[in-house]
Amino acid sequence: MRHVVVLGGSIAGLTAARVLSQAGVRVTIVEPDGHSGGLRNGVPQRQQLHALLDMGRTQLDRMFPHLTRDLVAAGASLAAGEEIEMYTAGARKFGVPGNELVGVTRELLEGHVRRRVSAEKHVTTVRGKACGLEFTGPRVSGIRYREPDSGVVRELQADAVVDAMGRSSRLSAWLEEHGWQAPPLERMRIDLGYATAQFRRGEDLRGLKIVHTVPAAAASLAELGDTGALAAVEDNRWMVLIAGFADRKPPRGPEEFRERMRRIGPHPFRVIAERCDMLTDVEPYRLAHSQRRQFGKLKALPGGLFAVGDAVASYNPVYAQGITSAVLHASCLAAYLRRPHDLRHPAWAYFEHLSVFVDAAWDLSTLSDLALPHVNGPYPPGYPITKKLFEWINRASVADHRVNEVLLDVVNMKTHPSVLRSPRFLAGVGRALLPTAAHR
């Protein structure tokens, strides 16, 4: 593997380029969008609040030593302990020692990652929009891209290609054009609307950096509360996100947005709504589906082809799995590069490794989404039992710090969700719920 083309300059594409470059591979990133400062102009959710889960932060610090330190020096906030507040159905959960989250804008994070990757001697970025794959026999041998200004179509030869084009990736269509089967696409309709606004930070919430709240289960959308998140970010700002489903999408008007903040529950939202100046317009965004492309179900695949990030799977963003998943996909690619491989054959070992992370994140997010009153499947086998079990785990996580610690490790993608079914953990859940049952 001497030269690899990475399609897309997102976090997924940049981290894939990083691990390839670190392995001594020459990399060309093909990215259609220019960028102002640190963020690409074409990112549709560029002004939304993004979360970097603990495992994502850990992996990024491994790929880019001292990245967290540099982000904090540039104004990001590193939150731990009592600086983080988590709520479920209005009840505050126990803090978890060692859990750290970074409050940072997408612009600052992506800008730092891009500068580090661009400084690599093996990495080059080409401005252009990918428009097709080239093949030599049963393997990918390059790509075609269109220059944005001239419209001229050019070719780039490569030993391998990494698809980092996001959820709207055109890879499936290109494969079918050349007689290959497209990976099966699974979708779950969630009909999510969310919005972010930025506020000036004052002294009212000193010592608090990140808050996240999810509502209680409800039988109807009318009874379902909002999901909310806020984070202290650079330039002495709060970023506040409100998410709702179907007809409960958050409003665009500033006063209506403040009113939704007052009703959301935890007092930090009310404090910001009533005492802090709004610095930006309310930025809305909508997402109809969660989706994943199941490469592992294919019977045949060209050699020299990889996919990362949202091009593989994109989840309900309220669970903040996107950036961390992309970084973990790059880690799978790094692991693949450390083993002997033959580019004449499909990278089945890579996609098998990748599916462990993709399926874990998918199962966790869709399990929560299926409990929403307007989501009607598809339901996995044994869903009623799993749903009830997850309800017990959530209740126990408010009552018992150990249960919450294990659950948070799963949510932060540090531990596989299978731990939630272990006898030892379930025994802890039962002990945590016993006082509640006795009280009733």
Side-chain angles (χ1 to χ4, degrees):
M1 196 183 289
R2 298 176 300 274
H3 177 223
V4 175
V5 171
V6 176
L7 302 178
S10 62
I11 295 287
L14 292 170
T15 51
R18 173 70 168 187
V19 300
L20 287 162
S21 175
Q22 293 290 292
V25 179
R26 183 166 63 90
V27 181
T28 301
I29 300 172
V30 178
E31 166 58 48
D33 296 317
H35 56 87
S36 54
L39 194 57
R40 293 162 294 129
N41 297 329
V43 179
Q45 66 275 41
R46 52 186 288 135
Q47 299 302 330
Q48 300 299 325
L49 173 62
H50 289 77
L52 181 58
L53 300 178
D54 201 14
M55 177 52 81
R57 181 188 62 81
T58 300
Q59 292 291 334
L60 281 174
D61 274 341
R62 290 174 180 169
M63 292 180 189
F64 307 95
H66 309 299
L67 177 63
T68 297
R69 181 197 65 186
D70 293 346
L71 291 171
V72 172
S77 62
L78 179 62
E82 296 301 312
E83 296 171 328
I84 303 171
E85 294 185 1
M86 301 287 182
Y87 295 83
T88 295
R92 184 178 173 184
K93 294 189 174 186
F94 290 96
V96 174
N99 179 43
E100 294 183 333
L101 299 174
V102 178
V104 60
T105 61
R106 175 73 175 264
E107 181 175 9
L108 183 63
L109 174 62
E110 193 169 308
H112 274 255
V113 171
R114 176 172 289 105
R115 282 190 288 275
R116 294 276 197 104
V117 173
S118 299
E120 294 274 347
K121 63 179 180 180
H122 298 303
V123 178
T124 304
T125 299
V126 171
R127 181 94 185 275
K129 184 174 183 179
C131 54
L133 293 175
E134 295 292 328
F135 290 83
T136 299
R139 59 179 294 267
V140 174
S141 58
I143 64 112
R144 298 188 306 277
Y145 73 93
R146 181 174 288 104
E147 293 182 337
D149 298 325
S150 66
V152 173
V153 175
R154 301 191 181 278
E155 294 184 5
L156 264 178
Q157 292 185 337
D159 300 305
V161 172
V162 178
D163 176 13
M165 292 184 289
R167 61 182 285 123
S168 59
S169 167
R170 298 177 297 283
L171 178 64
S172 293
W174 297 344
L175 287 172
E176 290 178 328
E177 285 175 10
H178 290 270
W180 297 89
Q181 183 183 8
L185 178 63
E186 182 178 1
R187 281 181 164 177
M188 176 177 287
R189 183 166 182 81
I190 57 174
D191 196 14
L192 172 71
Y194 59 101
T196 297
Q198 298 184 33
F199 296 79
R200 180 173 287 109
R201 289 172 64 193
E203 298 297 319
D204 299 290
L205 298 173
R206 177 179 289 276
L208 185 63
K209 294 181 178 178
I210 290 177
V211 180
H212 185 261
T213 181
V214 294
S220 68
L221 278 172
E223 299 170 330
L224 185 67
D226 292 329
T227 294
L230 61 87
V233 299
E234 62 269 21
D235 298 327
N236 203 36
R237 289 173 290 164
W238 290 112
M239 292 189 79
V240 180
L241 178 143
I242 297 176
F245 296 92
D247 294 336
R248 287 192 53 82
K249 296 179 177 68
R252 298 189 180 199
E255 291 309 314
E256 294 86 352
F257 189 85
R258 287 180 187 269
E259 182 57 32
R260 286 281 279 271
M261 288 174 63
R262 294 185 186 100
R263 298 201 307 263
I264 207 167
H267 82 280
F269 291 90
R270 295 195 298 273
V271 170
I272 295 173
E274 294 170 359
R275 302 182 189 177
C276 296
D277 295 331
M278 188 180 287
L279 301 176
T280 64
D281 293 333
V282 177
E283 298 285 346
Y285 187 74
R286 293 190 175 187
L287 187 70
H289 299 91
S290 298
Q291 64 181 41
R292 63 173 169 175
R293 294 181 173 93
Q294 297 175 293
F295 287 88
K297 290 191 174 182
L298 292 173
K299 295 182 179 179
L301 193 67
L305 185 64
F306 303 85
V308 292
D310 284 0
V312 181
S314 61
Y315 316 96
N316 184 333
V318 302
Y319 309 122
Q321 297 168 310
I323 294 177
T324 298
S325 289
V327 177
L328 288 169
H329 297 177
S331 296
C332 291
L333 182 58
Y336 179 82
L337 295 171
R338 290 192 292 267
R339 298 191 294 263
H341 50 268
D342 187 340
L343 293 175
R344 293 172 297 181
H345 302 296
W348 293 125
Y350 166 76
F351 284 107
E352 182 179 355
H353 189 187
L354 185 74
S355 68
V356 175
F357 297 96
V358 172
D359 294 348
W362 180 265
D363 291 346
L364 193 65
S365 64
T366 56
L367 177 62
S368 298
D369 288 338
L370 285 168
L372 296 169
H374 70 295
V375 176
N376 56 7
Y379 295 97
Y383 171 71
I385 296 174
T386 304
K387 178 185 177 184
K388 178 56 69 175
L389 175 62
F390 207 64
E391 289 174 359
W392 289 339
I393 291 172
N394 271 317
R395 282 172 47 204
S397 70
V398 177
D400 185 275
H401 67 90
R402 176 57 186 158
V403 171
N404 188 46
E405 184 175 349
V406 174
L407 178 59
L408 194 60
D409 280 349
V410 172
V411 170
N412 273 317
M413 304 181 76
K414 296 167 67 175
T415 304
H416 193 274
S418 59
V419 72
L420 302 180
R421 293 184 172 88
S422 71
R424 182 177 179 180
F425 175 73
L426 293 176
V429 170
R431 287 192 298 269
L433 295 178
L434 277 176
T436 303
H439 178 71
R440 289 181 178 177

